[in-house]
Amino acid sequence: LPYTTTNQDLRDLFRICGSIRSADVLMQDGRAKGTGVVRFESFESADKAVAKFNGYNYGGRALEITYDR
């Protein structure tokens, strides 16, 4: 993720895939790490997000979308 991405930006980006439980940009020492976690209400929504956004160019950076274990 671009380092300027906010939690709300992440939520807005992935909203089209389905209902979101939470969307959090990961931070380290008060700064964004360039990664985030989006939790969906259903596996189907998560699956849709991986299919749609893996490799997607967002703010000049290619997204690498994987399932959180």
Side-chain angles (χ1 to χ4, degrees):
L1 294 169
Y3 296 107
T4 57
T5 304
T6 66
N7 293 345
Q8 188 62 51
D9 293 335
L10 202 55
R11 182 177 288 280
D12 291 345
L13 178 65
F14 284 94
R15 177 175 286 138
I16 64 168
C17 295
S19 295
I20 295 172
R21 262 189 213 164
S22 64
D24 299 298
V25 173
L26 301 182
M27 306 292 280
Q28 183 174 14
D29 299 325
R31 298 175 57 164
K33 290 178 66 175
T35 62
V37 176
V38 178
R39 289 188 173 86
F40 290 92
E41 293 289 337
S42 70
F43 177 79
E44 292 78 17
S45 294
D47 203 36
K48 186 175 179 182
V50 170
K52 180 168 183 62
F53 287 110
N54 193 41
Y56 180 80
N57 186 324
Y58 180 67
R61 297 190 73 184
L63 300 181
E64 182 181 334
I65 310 296
T66 60
Y67 296 100
D68 189 23
R69 304 266 178 221

